[in-house]
Amino acid sequence: AQSVTQLGSHVSVSEGALVLLRCNYSSSVPPYLFWYVQYPNQGLQLLLKYTTGATLVKGINGFEAEFKKSETSFHLTKPSAHMSDAAEYFCAVSEINSSASKIIFGSGTRLSIRP
Amino acid sequence: GAGVSQSPRYKVAKRGQDVALRCDPISGHVSLFWYQQALGQGPEFLTYFQNEAQLDKSGLPSDRFFAERPEGSVSTLKIQRTQQEDSAVYLCASSPGSNYGYTFGSGTRLTVV
């Protein structure tokens, strides 16, 4: 069974600082991996996804994530935080080649940006 | 429309009342998912449709929860005899197919009083 662990329910960084949100996954088959962002009272928006190929994935709003199979990790980074990045971030995993696949979400990390 | 549309946006139900939540997916998306998101938690999978077929309903918490998608487009999530623990945001998502990543609607916030 798949699962996702997000380390740190709340991360606070200064504006302009590096953002690092940690995600580890468990999957019995090669996974597809996702990061979603959720702003207050809104649905989830896809930031980026890893399926196959290049392990460094670039997404919207300057975010990127690297798939590291040996570490079963898919950490999300952004070189310089903006105030508008304050939101809830969810890491998620889905199994490849599953005829009835579903995406399993982590419990989320709330990102706060200090002026 | 361009996105996934859910209605109503907010619903307050008295305990014991039945509710129906609607999801209009993106046109042509064959996959449709329902998730339940409790306050401060990540979304929890409820059920999945491929066209009109309900392929996975393993996440439905009880037999009070029922979902349908009779013509393979609009879907309805029905909760019978609502309980306080049903209070949550119910999210619908659609996808062109498996593993493409979903497009989510804004959700329906259900409050059972």
Side-chain angles (χ1 to χ4, degrees), chain B residues 9-66:
Chain B
R9 188 77 174 85
Y10 301 92
K11 176 68 178 178
V12 178
K14 292 184 178 180
R15 192 169 54 185
Q17 187 178 358
D18 297 350
V19 298
L21 312 180
R22 177 187 170 100
C23 173
D24 279 276
I26 291 174
S27 179
H29 278 194
V30 299
S31 299
L32 185 146
F33 304 82
W34 283 99
Y35 282 80
Q36 180 190 60
Q37 187 176 20
L39 188 64
Q41 301 295 317
E44 295 282 344
F45 171 80
L46 293 177
T47 187
Y48 159 62
F49 290 86
Q50 187 168 309
N51 296 306
E52 69 278 6
Q54 190 174 18
L55 298 185
D56 187 343
K57 53 182 181 180
S58 61
L60 296 176
S62 77
D63 59 7
R64 297 186 295 103
F65 286 71
F66 172 76

Side-chain angles (χ1 to χ4, degrees), chain A:
Chain A
Q2 316 130 289
S3 65
V4 173
T5 301
Q6 291 185 242
L7 300 176
S9 60
H10 182 210
V11 170
S12 179
V13 302
S14 297
E15 191 174 18
L18 171 72
V19 175
L20 171 61
L21 304 183
R22 300 178 185 274
C23 172
N24 289 87
Y25 70 91
S26 172
S27 179
S28 57
V29 297
Y32 283 2
L33 295 160
F34 308 86
W35 275 98
Y36 283 84
V37 61
Q38 187 175 36
Y39 297 100
N41 298 315
Q42 294 188 25
L44 285 81
Q45 180 182 7
L46 181 66
L47 272 178
L48 49 81
K49 64 181 179 183
Y50 167 78
T51 53
T52 58
T55 56
L56 182 62
V57 181
K58 295 185 184 298
I60 62 172
N61 301 340
F63 284 94
E64 62 183 36
E66 186 171 11
F67 170 58
K68 292 187 176 180
K69 183 178 178 180
S70 61
E71 299 177 8
T72 61
S73 69
F74 191 58
H75 302 330
L76 181 71
T77 60
K78 181 174 181 178
S80 177
H82 295 164
M83 296 300 293
S84 60
D85 294 328
E88 190 88 17
Y89 291 80
F90 293 94
C91 182
V93 63
S94 175
E95 286 187 344
I96 297 176
N97 296 325
S98 172
S99 61
S101 65
K102 54 182 179 276
I103 292 180
I104 304 299
F105 288 87
S107 57
T109 297
R110 182 163 61 91
L111 177 63
S112 299
I113 311 297
R114 301 188 300 270

Side-chain angles (χ1 to χ4, degrees), chain B residues 95-112:
Chain B
S95 172
S98 298
N99 302 316
Y100 279 79
Y102 309 164
T103 300
F104 278 86
S106 298
T108 294
R109 181 179 297 277
L110 173 65
T111 303
V112 181

